[in-house]
């Protein structure tokens, strides 16, 4: 059920699917077996089984429902392709057609019930797959592929038809790919390439073509999963499966819409635990892109900022173009064989032209790559083979790679031997034989002898040169690019992913499974379908240990004066009511009151304004005046795909103008909470500017984590929460929630 709060399957139905489909349980975590139906405190799963897709990609037997050999019929071409594929993978193929005796000389049976054996995979070449699902279930078929279109991608009527198909598949116990998919899973893959492979997942078949054709450039591909409308099998299933495959070095995805946010996060978590990089193009950054994606696949695209943050949390590398997808995935797959030791993340640029080296170095540095200055000793070593007048500090300008002797290889080996160097990049803007030919060969030979990454940018627009086609592309150790930008993007992704996986700890291991003592207190404050008053919202924060000012709610001027004396002058007075969201604009906030007369006058003025504006009040808050600090906002919203999300950013009255926020999807730990602060453009304000002291970051992080706990525990009851401003005081003094808005479901 798309858009449901707790995912696409209930716990019971999910457990039934695991049993029926032979899914592998999640691995033991911290010494205990992980059950696939473990739930966090919000009711969402903490583990997901890995579907056993071996018999999908390499079945022993295949049934083709609707097979044909009639010339000119679409099914005939598909049947021919499936015959060729079945022969390659060693599968027995059984045509199924009610009126044919044979198809391409192979005996044909009239129905699924008449199949001579139990088959692993059924390919449905029929316009309506629904009537056949029950027959496949009775025949104990494990997998089916539905090519038919006209489902959720076409609108409401098609979505209803797809819902019926999904329900039938859930009852059947088989796993379905599609509908609205194609034959990409049954393509011919080259088996003569070595090294770690790319596994490809695409919702649009055509968008995977650039990655698939990289085989012609020597890049190995192992699988292609064209998921289509994902009535059953989805992107997350294939990520989980591919992450367990030893031959897969990287997973490349083209995603139009995610079926279920938690399933995707669990799959990305599995890949992160195993250090398998996932690179994704996710359309829907703009309103137009999101609308087009929905019409194509019938999926929810979700708020793009949330999708982007969720991907970063779990190390998914998001790229924009298909060219970036292919180049980044190819480098990450090959980089699985390279070692990135601590401190060896430095990039050295080696060039036959000073101009080329300077240009590339500028772009690389601006993109965040670290180009360390080589030591004086290393420079002296390089000057044994490079003239003294050339700069070899980094970039290394050789003035022209040596052609006639061994010096060129010596230069490259000396650079790679530097302990601060993790990546060597050689930009070659155009062929200049024999120099570029010798340079290419030396780079390939050096790459074979090192565990460090060697990259080449071959900038020739022709691309037919032997040094490129034969030497560079013939090596599975060198990552070759055609543009500076794609090389830099891919190298940065590799270094970032290596750092990410080295420190990664799954947040699902520590996610809360039981309610805290705060939950019962908070639950008593909730009012279904209503917005809470500021006073009630602050009580909610108190229940979760979030500090608020000393304050009292009063209903008369005399009580306000008594409260001010108890709270302590100066005080702040604010109207409190369930429907008040922007009190400042209405004049319902008074700051810095220092006397009883000011308090009395403020009370009368605010109640008069409330009557004039026809605003219902539950009273007036008389609050402690908190010392100034950095005004932040911390909030909770509900995303259709991922459920509760937590946001932190610069707060105050200009929060909607500044729009300087970072978001995370629970569960997450302290490290991610601190990373949120690092993403803010105004982060410097927290570190102290213009003589102001640094803010109490530990207290701010603690508030974010407590708000996350609240978001999880009250997921079914809390629709929205805004703490604005949260005054973050100087280091060691804490943080105080000066105002809060809470909306109940």
């Amino acid at each position: 059920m798309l858009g449901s709060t707790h995912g696409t399957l209930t716990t019971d139905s999910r457990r039934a699917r695991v049993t029926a489909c032979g899914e592998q349980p999640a691995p033991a975590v911290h010494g205990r077996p992980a059950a696939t139906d473990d739930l966090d405190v919000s009711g969402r799963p903490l583990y997901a089984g890995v579907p056993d897709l071996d018999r999908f990609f390499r079945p022993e037997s295949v049934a083709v429902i609707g097979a044909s050999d009639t010339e000119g019929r679409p099914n005939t071409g598909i049947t021919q392709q499936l015959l060729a594929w079945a022969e390659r993978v060693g599968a027995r193929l059984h045509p199924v057609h009610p009126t044919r005796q044979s198809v391409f000389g192979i005996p044909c049976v009239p129905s699924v019930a008449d199949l001579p054996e139990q088959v692993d995979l059924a390919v449905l070449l029929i316009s309506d797959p629904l009537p056949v699902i029950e027959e496949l279930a009775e025949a104990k078929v494990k997998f089916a592929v539905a090519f038919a279109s006209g489902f959720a991608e076409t609108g409401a009527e098609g979505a209803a038809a797809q819902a019926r198909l999904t329900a039938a598949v859930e009852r059947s116990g088989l796993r379905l790919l599609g509908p609205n998919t194609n034959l990409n899973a049954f393509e011919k893959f080259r088996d003569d390439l070595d090294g770690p492979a790319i596994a490809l997942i695409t919702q649009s078949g055509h968008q995977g073509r650039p990655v698939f054709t990289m085989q012609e450039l020597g890049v190995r591909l192992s699988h292609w999963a064209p998921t289509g409308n994902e009535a059953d099998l989805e992107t997350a299933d294939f990520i989980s499966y591919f992450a367990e495959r030893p031959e897969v070095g990287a997973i490349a995805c083209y995603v139009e819409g995610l079926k279920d946010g938690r399933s995707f996060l669990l799959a990305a978590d599995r890949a992160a635990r195993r250090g398998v990089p996932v690179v994704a193009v996710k359309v829907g950054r703009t309103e137009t892109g999101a609308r087009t994606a929905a019409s194509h696949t019938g999926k929810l695209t979700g708020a793009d900022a949330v999708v982007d943050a969720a991907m970063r949390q779990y190390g998914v590398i998001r790229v924009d173009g298909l060219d970036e997808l292919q180049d980044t995935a190819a480098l990450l797959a090959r980089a699985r064989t390279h070692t990135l030791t601590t401190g060896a993340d430095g990039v050295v640029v080696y060039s036959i032209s000073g101009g080329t080296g300077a240009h590339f170095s500028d772009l690389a540095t601006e993109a965040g790559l670290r180009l360390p200055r080589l030591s004086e000793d290393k420079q002296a070593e390089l000057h044994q083979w490079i003239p003294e007048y050339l700069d070899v500090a980094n970039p290394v300008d050789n003035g022209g790679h040596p052609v006639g002797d061994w010096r060129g290889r010596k230069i490259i080996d000396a650079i790679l031997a530097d302990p601060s160097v993790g990546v060597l990049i050689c930009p070659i803007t155009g062929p200049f034989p024999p120099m570029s030919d010798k340079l290419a060969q030396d780079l390939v030979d050096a790459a074979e002898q090192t565990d460090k990454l060697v990259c080449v940018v071959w900038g020739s627009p022709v691309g037919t040169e032997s040094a490129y086609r034969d030497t560079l592309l013939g090596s599975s150790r060198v990552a070759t690019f055609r543009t500076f930008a794609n090389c830099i993007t891919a190298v940065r992704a590799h270094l970032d992913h290596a750092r990410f996986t080295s420190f990664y700890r799954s947040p699902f291991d520590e996610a809360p499974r039981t309610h805290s003592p705060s939950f019962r207190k908070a639950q008593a404050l909730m009012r279904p379908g209503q917005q809470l008053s500021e006073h009630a919202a602050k009580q909610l924060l108190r229940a979760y240990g979030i500090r608020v000012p000393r304050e009292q709610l009063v209903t008369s001027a005399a009580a306000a004066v008594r409260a001010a004396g108890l709270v302590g002058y100066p005080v702040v007075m604010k109207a409190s009511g369930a429907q008040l969201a922007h009190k400042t604009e209405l004049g319902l906030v008074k700051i810095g009151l220092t006397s009883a007369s000011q308090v009395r006058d403020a009370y009368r003025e605010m109640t008069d304004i409330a009557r004039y504006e026809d605003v219902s009040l539950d009273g007036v808050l008389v609050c402690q005046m908190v010392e100034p600090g950095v005004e932040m906002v911390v909030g909770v919203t509900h995303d259709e795909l991922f459920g509760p999300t937590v946001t932190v950013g610069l707060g105050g009255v200009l929060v909607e103008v500044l729009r300087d926020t970072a978001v995370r999807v629970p569960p997450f730990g302290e490290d991610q909470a601190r990373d949120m602060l690092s993403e803010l453009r105004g982060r410097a304000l927290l570190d102290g500017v213009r003589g102001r002291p640094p803010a109490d970051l530990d207290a701010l992080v603690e508030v974010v984590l407590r708000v996350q706990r609240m978001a999880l525990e009250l997921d079914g009851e809390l629709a929205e929460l805004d703490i604005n401003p949260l005054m973050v005081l100087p280091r060691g003094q804490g943080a105080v929630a000066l105002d809060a808005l809470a909306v109940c479901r």
Side-chain angles (χ1 to χ4, degrees):
M1 295 178 291
L2 293 177
S4 66
T5 303
H6 301 297
T8 56
L9 296 176
T10 65
T11 304
D12 289 340
S13 64
R14 177 63 178 167
R15 187 184 297 113
R17 298 296 300 283
V18 170
T19 303
C21 302
E23 293 187 359
Q24 304 164 11
V29 180
H30 294 171
R32 70 171 180 80
T36 57
D37 60 348
D38 276 0
L39 304 176
D40 70 12
V41 73
S42 74
R44 291 178 174 82
L46 291 170
Y47 301 96
V50 181
D52 184 0
L53 298 171
D54 291 350
R55 285 290 177 251
F56 174 85
F57 287 106
R58 297 195 71 87
E60 293 183 355
S61 54
V62 182
V64 181
I65 318 298
S68 172
D69 57 4
T70 302
E71 188 174 350
R73 293 288 300 276
N75 282 9
T76 299
I78 297 174
T79 303
Q80 286 178 308
Q81 182 171 341
L82 290 169
L83 279 167
W85 170 75
E87 184 176 355
R88 288 195 300 273
V89 301
R92 299 176 295 278
L93 188 141
H94 304 290
V96 179
H97 196 284
T99 63
R100 297 177 183 273
Q101 297 299 312
S102 66
V103 172
F104 290 113
I106 302 173
C108 185
V109 296
S111 69
V112 172
D114 298 307
L115 286 167
E117 63 176 324
Q118 180 182 333
V119 300
D120 297 320
L121 173 66
V123 181
L124 311 182
L125 308 184
I126 51 180
S127 59
D128 184 6
L130 182 58
V132 147
I133 297 299
E134 187 175 342
E135 297 178 36
L136 296 174
E138 291 177 359
K140 302 188 182 308
V141 175
K142 296 177 182 177
F143 297 98
V145 180
F147 295 109
S149 57
F151 288 89
E153 78 279 5
T154 62
E157 186 175 342
Q162 183 165 312
R164 292 191 294 272
L165 179 63
T166 298
V169 170
E170 288 186 6
R171 292 191 302 268
S172 73
L174 64 77
R175 302 306 305 265
L176 177 76
L177 181 70
N180 193 29
T181 185
N182 54 38
L183 288 164
N184 292 339
F186 313 120
E187 294 277 2
K188 182 177 182 180
F189 295 85
R190 286 183 59 176
D191 57 8
D192 60 334
L193 300 174
D194 59 7
I198 295 174
L200 179 60
I201 307 168
T202 62
Q203 283 180 281
S204 170
H206 191 65
Q207 291 292 83
R209 284 289 156 194
V211 177
F212 181 75
T213 54
M214 290 189 75
Q215 293 178 103
E216 300 310 309
L217 301 179
V219 177
R220 182 184 173 200
L221 258 75
S222 59
H223 305 80
W224 189 351
T227 60
N229 283 16
E230 300 188 353
D232 176 33
L233 286 169
E234 58 180 304
T235 296
D237 291 313
F238 289 101
I239 290 176
S240 293
Y241 174 75
F242 292 146
E244 301 284 353
R245 301 292 303 177
E247 73 272 24
V248 172
I251 302 169
C253 307
Y254 173 82
V255 181
E256 292 177 346
L258 297 174
K259 180 179 177 181
D260 177 78
R262 177 53 68 96
S263 295
F264 178 78
L265 297 185
L266 288 169
D269 172 69
R270 182 176 294 278
R273 290 175 189 252
R274 284 150 184 75
V276 179
V278 180
V279 189
V281 169
K282 167 64 176 66
V283 300
R285 286 191 186 275
T286 66
E287 182 181 349
T288 301
R291 186 172 62 249
T292 303
S295 65
H296 190 184
T297 63
K299 300 291 183 304
L300 294 171
T301 55
D304 191 69
V306 178
V307 172
D308 202 56
M311 286 185 170
R312 285 199 307 277
Q313 275 179 249
Y314 292 89
V316 177
I317 299 143
R318 188 175 182 183
V319 295
D320 292 322
L322 296 177
D323 58 328
E324 292 176 301
L325 179 66
Q326 63 191 42
D327 282 352
T328 303
L331 179 135
L332 286 166
R334 290 185 169 180
R336 291 296 301 279
T337 61
H338 297 276
T339 301
L340 185 66
T341 56
T342 302
D345 61 349
V347 175
V348 167
V349 178
Y350 176 62
S351 175
I352 62 176
S353 162
T356 300
H359 182 198
F360 191 95
S361 298
D362 276 350
L363 296 173
T365 302
E366 187 176 9
L369 297 182
R370 187 176 71 88
L371 273 66
R373 181 181 178 85
L374 298 180
S375 68
E376 295 299 326
D377 288 345
K378 179 60 65 176
Q379 292 183 55
E381 181 183 0
L382 293 174
H383 277 308
Q384 296 178 74
W385 312 296
I386 297 174
E388 287 287 340
Y389 60 84
L390 294 174
D391 188 355
V392 296
N394 191 16
V396 176
D397 177 11
N398 61 29
H401 189 76
V403 174
D405 54 37
W406 41 262
R407 288 175 298 157
R409 176 66 188 278
K410 284 282 190 182
I411 295 169
I412 296 170
D413 287 343
I415 295 171
L416 290 171
D418 192 298
S420 69
V421 175
V423 182
L424 183 146
I425 303 175
C426 182
I428 304 172
T429 54
F432 191 63
M435 185 188 301
S436 53
D437 296 356
K438 183 68 165 77
L439 174 56
Q441 189 61 59
D442 284 345
L443 289 165
V444 167
D445 293 343
E448 294 292 338
Q449 302 299 317
T450 183
D451 60 357
K452 297 182 179 181
L453 188 59
V454 176
C455 303
V456 176
V457 182
W458 189 264
S460 167
V462 180
T464 58
E465 300 86 0
S466 177
Y468 171 66
R469 300 291 303 185
D470 301 326
T471 305
L472 294 173
L473 296 184
S475 169
S476 63
R477 299 284 297 177
V478 174
T480 304
F481 303 86
R482 300 303 300 278
T483 67
F484 284 13
N486 280 13
C487 176
I488 291 168
T489 295
V491 170
R492 184 180 61 189
H494 162 58
L495 296 174
D496 288 348
H497 189 264
R499 283 188 287 266
F500 172 83
T501 54
S502 66
F503 294 106
Y504 184 73
R505 299 293 181 271
S506 173
F508 294 114
D509 292 347
E510 305 300 327
R513 292 168 174 78
T514 58
H515 290 103
S516 68
S518 301
F519 172 66
R520 294 301 176 196
K521 300 177 187 176
Q523 202 174 36
L525 298 167
M526 306 305 288
R527 299 291 181 267
Q530 297 181 26
Q531 176 180 307
L532 300 183
S533 69
E534 178 182 340
H535 181 59
K538 284 180 174 175
Q539 287 182 305
L540 186 63
L541 300 184
R542 278 197 186 99
Y544 278 90
I546 297 170
R547 182 178 164 192
V548 299
R550 295 191 306 274
E551 63 183 36
Q552 289 192 21
L553 182 68
V554 299
T555 56
S556 71
V561 172
R562 289 193 298 272
L566 293 171
V567 168
Y569 289 103
V571 297
V572 176
M573 292 181 65
K574 297 189 282 186
S576 177
Q579 300 306 314
L580 280 175
H582 299 286
K583 295 182 287 288
T584 303
E585 289 87 338
L586 293 175
L588 297 177
V589 178
K590 303 295 181 183
I591 299 174
L593 305 179
T594 58
S595 67
S597 61
Q598 288 181 339
V599 169
R600 202 176 289 111
D601 290 344
Y603 182 90
R604 290 167 180 161
E605 181 181 347
M606 284 191 284
T607 53
D608 286 344
I609 291 172
R611 279 192 295 271
Y612 178 78
E613 297 288 346
D614 195 24
V615 174
S616 178
L617 300 182
D618 58 6
V620 173
L621 286 170
V622 181
C623 311
Q624 169 195 11
M625 189 157 177
V626 176
E627 293 297 318
V630 180
E631 292 188 342
M632 301 293 290
V633 60
V634 179
V636 175
T637 56
H638 185 87
D639 182 79
E640 288 182 305
L641 276 173
F642 294 101
T645 63
V646 177
T647 301
V648 64
L650 294 185
V653 295
L654 297 179
V655 62
E656 294 173 354
V657 176
L658 296 174
R659 290 184 170 274
D660 188 7
T661 59
V663 65
R664 288 295 184 274
V665 178
F668 58 86
E670 181 180 334
D671 289 346
Q672 283 290 335
R674 293 187 183 277
D675 286 346
M676 293 171 77
L677 306 183
S678 300
E679 293 174 14
L680 301 177
R681 298 189 303 276
R683 165 59 195 262
L685 294 174
L686 293 167
D687 296 328
V689 293
R690 295 185 177 273
R692 299 180 66 176
D696 196 334
L697 295 183
D698 290 343
L700 174 55
V701 168
E702 182 66 21
V703 171
V704 171
L705 294 175
R706 289 178 182 272
V707 166
Q708 176 193 208
R709 183 67 182 243
M710 184 192 309
L712 286 170
E713 293 191 347
L714 298 176
D715 176 38
E717 301 172 73
L718 182 66
E720 181 182 349
L721 174 73
D722 277 305
I723 306 173
N724 182 31
L726 174 75
M727 189 68 76
V728 185
L729 303 174
R731 183 178 297 160
Q733 298 182 32
V736 186
L738 301 188
D739 199 352
L741 179 149
V743 180
C744 304
R745 289 185 178 280

